[in-house]
Amino acid sequence: MDGERLFCDTALAARIEQAEARFVAACSDAARTRRGDATGFARPLGGGVASFAEADSPFNKVAGLGFAGPPEDLDEVEDAFAELGAPVQVELCHLADPTVGTFLTARGYRLESYENVLGRRLGGPVEAAGGEVRPCRADELETWLSAVAGASMVTDTEGLPSHEDFTPEIIVNALRDMAGVRRYTAERNGEFAGGASFRVTDGIAQFAGAATMPAHRRRGIQTALLRTRLAEATAAGCDVAIVTTLPGSKSQQNAQRQGFDLLYARAILVKGTSATSSSGADSRQAS
C-alpha cells in the first residue's frame, strides 16, 4: 500500500550511510584480528570511514562520506591507501552533499560503477516464509561460508554486470569478517540451498551475505530467506531493513517483490589503479 512505502529523505540516507560506515569499520577490524597483524586501518573521514582490511577485500573503501561536507584530511587517507598498493574507492550516496562529488572528481576520482540501496519499513506482519529456513549453527559455519561463497561466484545474468572479481578465498574471508551478523541457512529437499545474514545497527537491519546455490535458483529460496530475516529484524526492534544490489539485477527484482523500495544509488568513485573488488554488493546483496 502507498501508505507503507518508504520514502528516503536526506536524514534517512545519512542514517543508513552511517550504519554502513559502522559495519565497514567493524568488518575491517575483524579482518585484522583474524590475520593477527595491524596492517590496515579503519579511520574516521568526513563523517564516514576509510577502511583497508586486507589485500583485495571488499571492505577496502570509503563509506558514509558526503553528509559532513568535503573531507579535510583526504590527503592522508590517499597516502595510506597508496602505501598499501591500493586505490581509493569511495561509495557516494546520490543524496549526499553535491559539493563532495565535485570535490572528488576535481581530485581525479572517476566514476566506475553504481550500486542500489533498497529499503523496507518494518513493524507490521510479515508473510510466513516458505521452505525450511533456520539459523546457521556454530558447528556448520565453515560449511555455510564455503557454500555461500561458492554460490555467490555463479553470478546472475540479469542487470548490469559487476565490475568486481573476487577469489573464493577473499569471499570466504569477507563473509567470515562480517561482524555481528546473524546467519541463516535455507534447505530444499534435504540439501543446502542458500544462505543469508543480517546485522542490526541503530534500528537498521542490514541484509547481507545472501546467495542461492545454482541448482536451487528460481525456487523461492531468496524469498524465504528475505521473509525470515524481515520477521527476525522486526522482532529485534528494527524499523527499517536495507539491502544493497547491483542495478537491474534479479536480486533487486526479488527485493522489490518483497516490498523493498529503491531509496538511492551509490556511485563508486575510484582514484588510482582499479581494484579487483570495491563496494562488496555481491557479498551483501539479496541475490
Side-chain angles (χ1 to χ4, degrees), residues 147-163:
V148 171
S152 68
M153 293 196 70
V154 183
T155 58
D156 206 303
T157 58
E158 296 186 27
L160 296 183
S162 174
H163 69 291

Side-chain angles (χ1 to χ4, degrees), residues 39-276:
T39 303
F41 53 85
R43 53 176 293 176
L45 178 69
V49 65
S51 162
F52 183 94
E54 65 178 335
D56 298 327
S57 171
F59 303 122
N60 297 347
K61 60 185 177 182
V62 176
L65 202 64
F67 294 91
E72 296 180 355
D73 50 350
L74 187 54
D75 285 336
E76 297 177 10
V77 167
E78 291 176 347
D79 289 343
F81 276 103
E83 288 178 4
L84 293 167
V88 187
Q89 298 186 107
V90 178
E91 292 182 349
L92 187 62
C93 168
H94 89 263
L95 291 175
D97 182 347
T99 64
V100 176
T102 302
F103 172 78
L104 293 173
T105 54
R107 293 179 65 96
Y109 285 79
R110 67 185 184 279
L111 177 65
E112 186 160 311
S113 187
Y114 294 95
E115 63 184 31
N116 285 341
V117 177
L118 298 93
R120 171 173 162 159
R121 192 185 311 278
L122 298 177
V126 178
E127 184 179 350
E132 183 178 348
V133 178
R134 57 175 175 77
C136 173
R137 300 190 306 268
D139 64 351
E140 61 183 4
L141 175 60
E142 297 304 319
T143 299
W144 189 96
L145 293 172
S146 178
V148 171
S152 68
M153 293 196 70
V154 183
T155 58
D156 206 303
T157 58
E158 296 186 27
L160 296 183
S162 174
H163 69 291
E164 308 170 297
D165 185 16
F166 298 105
T167 67
E169 180 181 4
I170 288 296
I171 297 176
V172 168
N173 286 344
L175 291 169
R176 188 190 303 279
D177 295 336
M178 285 184 175
V181 299
R182 309 181 189 190
R183 297 180 176 91
Y184 295 86
T185 294
E187 294 181 339
R188 178 171 173 265
N189 299 330
E191 298 179 352
F192 181 93
S197 59
F198 80 94
R199 169 187 161 104
V200 176
T201 305
D202 292 336
I204 294 176
Q206 297 166 280
F207 286 11
T212 302
M213 302 297 286
H216 298 282
R217 293 183 179 179
R218 311 297 188 263
R219 297 294 187 272
I221 299 302
Q222 280 303 319
T223 296
L225 287 164
L226 270 173
R227 289 179 181 172
T228 296
R229 289 179 293 166
L230 286 170
E232 293 290 329
T234 299
C238 296
D239 62 311
V240 176
I242 299 299
V243 295
T244 303
T245 74
L246 293 171
S249 63
K250 188 67 177 179
S251 300
Q252 180 179 339
Q253 184 181 46
N254 287 340
Q256 291 190 231
R257 284 175 173 171
Q258 295 304 311
F260 283 80
D261 292 305
L262 177 58
L263 304 183
Y264 56 85
R266 291 186 183 125
I268 310 302
L269 302 170
V270 181
K271 183 177 183 180
T273 303
S274 181
T276 58

